[in-house]
Amino acid sequence: MSSNIYEEPKVSMNVRFSGGVQKDGGEREERVVDIYESADTWTDQGGLCPEHPPPVHRNPFKAVALILALLCLLLVIALTVLTHFYDINMTYKSSYEEMKNKYDSLSNSLCLFENSTVVWTRFQLSCYYKSTENKSWDEGRRDCQDRGADLVVINSREEQDFLRELNKGGTSWIGLQSVVKQEWDKTSKWEWKWVNNFLKMLLSWGTGVVTTPSEGSKVFMNQRGRFNHTSSGLRGWICEKPIISGNLSV
C-alpha cells in the first residue's frame, strides 16, 4: 500500500479493544475508544510534522535606502562646506574690489592737476597726455616740457599696448631719436637714444622698417603701436610725466 509522504498525518484514530465489562451470559462488551494524539508525537516516531513557515527574507530596498541616505548626508555636508568657502571668497573678493576701486580713484586723482587744461591718463606710475594737434618732433617735445613732462619713453610691452590704445590708431611722436655716438664706429656714427638718455630699452620696429639710424631721424608710433622713423613731417605726440616727480604744469 503506497502512501504519500506529503500528506498530513492523522491526528486521531479509532482503537477497538475488549474492555473489562462483562454482560450477563458471559460475553464481553467491545467498546470503541477514539484516541487523539498530538501531531508532535509523530516527530519522535519518524513521522512528518507540518512544514515550518519560511524565514522572513530581508528587504533589499532597506540597504539601498540606507546608502542613499548616507550619500545625501555627504552631499549636504559638501554643499555646506562649499557654501562656507564661497561666502569667504565673495567677502574677500568684495573687499578686494573695494580696495581696488579706492586705489584707482586715488591714483587717477594723481593725474588731475590744478590749472591743467588737458586730460591726463594714468598707467602704472606715470601720467600720459595725447596731443590733439600735429607738430614736428621738436615742437611736440617742447610742448611736453612746458607741461613739466617729456616725450614718452616706453619701457615694457604692457606700456606699449597701453599707448597703442591711447594713440587710437593714429601716429604720434615718441621720445626716441638718433644721436651722434660718443665713440667712433666705422659702420655708423649715429645711434638710437631715448630722451632720458637710455639706449635701446625697447625698440619695437614695424615690419620692413630700415632700423639704421641717420642724421635727424625721429621716431613715431604707427597705428599698430610699432615704431618707424623719419627726419621730417608733422604728427601728434605723447607726453609722459612720472607721478613721483611732482605736479604737472598747464
Side-chain angles (χ1 to χ4, degrees), residues 10-229:
K10 296 180 180 180
V11 297
S12 66
M13 63 178 62
N14 295 330
V15 179
R16 183 179 299 275
F17 70 96
S18 297
V21 179
Q22 186 174 359
K23 293 182 178 181
D24 295 337
E27 294 181 357
R28 292 182 179 272
E29 181 180 0
E30 292 184 354
R31 295 182 179 179
V32 177
V33 179
D34 293 331
I35 300 175
Y36 298 90
E37 295 184 0
S38 173
D40 294 337
T41 59
W42 286 75
T43 59
D44 296 332
Q45 301 173 2
L48 296 177
C49 63
E51 183 180 358
H52 292 285
V56 178
H57 295 287
R58 293 182 178 179
N59 190 347
F61 294 104
K62 290 184 178 179
V64 175
L66 180 59
I67 294 174
L68 291 177
L70 291 175
L71 291 177
C72 290
L73 179 60
L74 292 176
L75 179 60
V76 170
I77 294 174
L79 290 176
T80 302
V81 172
L82 290 176
T83 302
H84 177 69
F85 281 106
Y86 176 78
D87 292 338
I88 293 177
N89 181 62
M90 291 302 295
T91 300
Y92 280 113
K93 183 177 180 181
S94 177
S95 300
Y96 169 78
E97 292 294 337
E98 183 178 357
M99 293 178 63
K100 183 177 182 300
N101 292 335
K102 290 182 179 180
Y103 169 78
D104 290 340
S105 177
L106 177 61
S107 59
N108 287 333
S109 67
L110 297 175
C111 292
L112 298 176
F113 304 97
E114 187 178 358
N115 300 325
S116 178
T117 59
V118 298
V119 177
W120 293 81
T121 303
R122 183 195 66 83
F123 177 74
Q124 295 180 351
L125 297 178
S126 294
C127 300
Y128 301 83
Y129 161 66
K130 169 69 172 64
S131 71
T132 57
E133 54 184 332
N134 296 328
K135 293 184 179 182
S136 67
W137 188 91
D138 292 312
E139 290 174 327
R141 185 180 186 188
R142 189 176 305 115
D143 177 78
C144 292
Q145 292 173 338
D146 290 342
R147 301 177 187 277
D150 207 337
L151 286 173
V152 62
V153 175
I154 304 175
N155 300 295
S156 65
R157 296 292 181 184
E158 292 78 12
E159 186 179 17
Q160 182 179 353
D161 292 340
F162 163 77
L163 292 173
R164 183 180 64 248
E165 294 299 321
L166 182 65
N167 201 32
K168 296 184 184 302
T171 60
S172 299
W173 297 117
I174 61 175
L176 184 63
Q177 62 178 332
S178 64
V179 297
V180 177
K181 286 184 177 181
Q182 295 181 355
E183 298 180 0
W184 180 255
D185 190 322
K186 294 181 179 181
T187 59
S188 175
K189 67 175 183 178
W190 302 97
E191 63 182 351
W192 297 113
K193 180 179 286 188
W194 293 90
V195 293
N196 61 356
N197 294 321
F198 283 15
L199 297 172
K200 300 180 180 179
M201 289 171 36
L202 177 63
L203 301 180
S204 182
W205 299 107
T207 303
V209 174
V210 178
T211 62
T212 303
S214 59
E215 183 178 2
S217 292
K218 311 295 182 181
V219 179
F220 61 91
M221 177 181 288
N222 64 18
Q223 294 87 344
R224 296 186 177 183
R226 297 294 183 175
F227 299 171
N228 203 339
H229 62 94

